[in-house]
């Protein structure tokens, strides 16, 4: 399956993507994780992205679209993928459609995760991610690691993302409403969108997502 995940910051896209990608045996492609890996490795791409991410703004399309489509090419897009954090504006959605059309493939669905703003703030304030791999995500009260401050998956150190400060989160939420929400209507016009509530325990949200996408475990 070829799926796009959308939802505001802290909706649980990364958390759900881990389980959905495993259940569906497809690669999880997160542009946020790709940027953070480039930043920690000190690459040129990471250098270009860092200031935008720290400010809660979108990294320019000229950097993002190439990075995302290269990763899809590497992942053999025809065999399926779960995109998390891309596309994030209309230009990116159009570029993704053009890329998929070139490959003779199309999306199967767009999963839209809905969460009220007060819950977003609680989820982000308590989030801790792994320094070695930011797709290893925990929460200080909702999703605790077995040992405080240590990643269950790889033993890496857990820390708070610099863009999770209150001010930056406010900017990220504004950017989401302004830039990203319009892609939901774009995909609605293609009859691709399924919207679910992302409230409740993680495994319940996963089950809801699988059902909405019409797949069973
Ligand atoms: P990105 O990393 O994509 O950030 P985001 O979209 O703001 O999403 P988050 O990672 O904050 O949240 P999430 O929905 O994955 O939630 P999570 O599962 O962690 O992007 C970061 C930045 O990179 C952007 O601001 C931008 O600058 C840049 N960027 C990325 N892509 C780009 C693009 N395409 N174009 C331009 N720029 C781009 O969950 C949050 C917390 O809640 C966790 O602690 C988790 O444990 C907890 N939680 C999850 N589910 C539940 C639940 N059901 N119940 C209780 N707690 C839960
Ligand atoms: Zn880890």
């Amino acid at each position: 399956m070829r799926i796009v995940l959308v939802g505001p910051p802290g909706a649980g896209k990364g958390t759900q993507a881990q389980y959905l990608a495993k259940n569906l045996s497809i690669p999880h492609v997160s542009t946020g994780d790709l940027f953070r890996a480039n930043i920690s490795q000190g690459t040129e791409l990471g250098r270009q992205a860092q200031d935008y991410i720290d400010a809660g703004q979108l990294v320019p399309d000229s950097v993002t679209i190439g990075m995302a489509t290269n990763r899809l090419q590497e992942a053999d897009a025809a065999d399926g993928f779960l995109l998390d954090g891309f596309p994030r504006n209309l230009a990116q959605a159009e570029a993704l459609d053009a890329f998929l059309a070139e490959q003779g493939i199309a999306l199967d669905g767009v999963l839209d995760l809905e969460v009220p703003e007060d819950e977003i703030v609680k989820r982000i304030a308590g989030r801790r991610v792994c320094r070695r791999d930011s797709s290893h995500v925990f929460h200080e009260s909702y999703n605790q690691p077995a040992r405080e401050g240590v990643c269950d998956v790889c033993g890496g150190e857990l820390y708070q993302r610099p863009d999770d400060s209150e001010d930056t989160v406010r900017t990220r939420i504004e950017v989401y409403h302004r830039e990203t929400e319009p892609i939901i209507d774009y995909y609605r016009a293609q009859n691709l969108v399924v919207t679910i509530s992302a409230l409740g325990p993680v495994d319940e949200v996963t089950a809801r997502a699988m059902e909405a996408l019409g797949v069973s475990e």
Side-chain angles (χ1 to χ4, degrees):
M1 281 190 102
R2 293 178 286 271
I3 302 165
V4 166
L5 263 182
V6 285
K13 300 182 294 296
T15 301
Q16 290 305 322
Q18 274 184 48
Y19 297 104
L20 292 172
K22 204 164 141 204
N23 288 349
L24 300 168
S25 304
I26 49 179
H28 167 204
V29 176
S30 156
T31 42
D33 288 338
L34 287 170
F35 283 132
R36 283 184 289 275
N38 274 279
I39 290 170
S40 66
Q41 287 155 19
T43 69
E44 173 58 21
L45 197 149
R47 200 191 54 71
Q48 288 171 343
Q50 173 132 43
D51 289 349
Y52 296 98
I53 292 181
D54 289 350
Q57 300 292 346
L58 295 188
V59 177
D61 293 342
S62 55
V63 177
T64 307
I65 291 171
M67 177 184 77
T69 52
N70 284 343
R71 177 70 186 86
L72 285 176
Q73 215 134 26
E74 275 168 29
D76 271 331
D79 295 341
F81 54 78
L82 184 58
L83 265 174
D84 158 14
F86 181 89
R88 233 178 170 95
N89 61 23
L90 282 172
Q92 293 181 10
E94 284 163 3
L96 176 64
D97 273 353
F99 168 82
L100 295 175
E102 260 171 42
Q103 320 273 317
I105 53 179
L107 292 174
D108 294 303
V110 173
L111 181 66
D112 167 31
L113 298 181
E114 250 182 8
V115 199
E117 204 151 310
D118 56 341
E119 178 72 11
I120 293 177
V121 172
K122 282 190 229 158
R123 287 188 182 182
I124 291 188
R127 171 165 51 193
R128 299 293 177 268
V129 304
C130 177
R131 260 195 210 285
R132 288 188 193 153
D133 182 338
S134 67
S135 73
H136 304 160
V137 181
F138 301 87
H139 190 282
E140 61 179 11
S141 24
Y142 304 144
N143 179 14
Q144 294 170 327
R147 275 174 59 207
E148 201 187 324
V150 181
C151 175
D152 280 349
V153 184
C154 74
E157 182 200 356
L158 299 183
Y159 79 118
Q160 186 162 32
R161 273 171 41 183
D163 62 338
D164 279 353
S165 71
E166 211 183 305
D167 267 6
T168 311
V169 169
R170 211 169 298 126
T171 307
R172 284 162 56 200
I173 293 173
E174 277 167 28
V175 169
Y176 176 76
H177 289 312
R178 195 178 60 237
E179 305 265 340
T180 309
E181 261 176 359
I183 73 170
I184 299 177
D185 280 338
Y186 173 87
Y187 284 129
R188 246 186 218 126
Q190 300 181 26
N191 254 325
L192 286 171
V193 180
V194 285
T195 301
I196 62 163
S197 161
L199 286 177
V202 171
D203 56 346
E204 282 181 20
V205 179
T206 310
R208 220 175 276 152
M210 299 281 285
E211 199 188 331
L213 291 168
V215 284
S216 50
E217 286 184 48

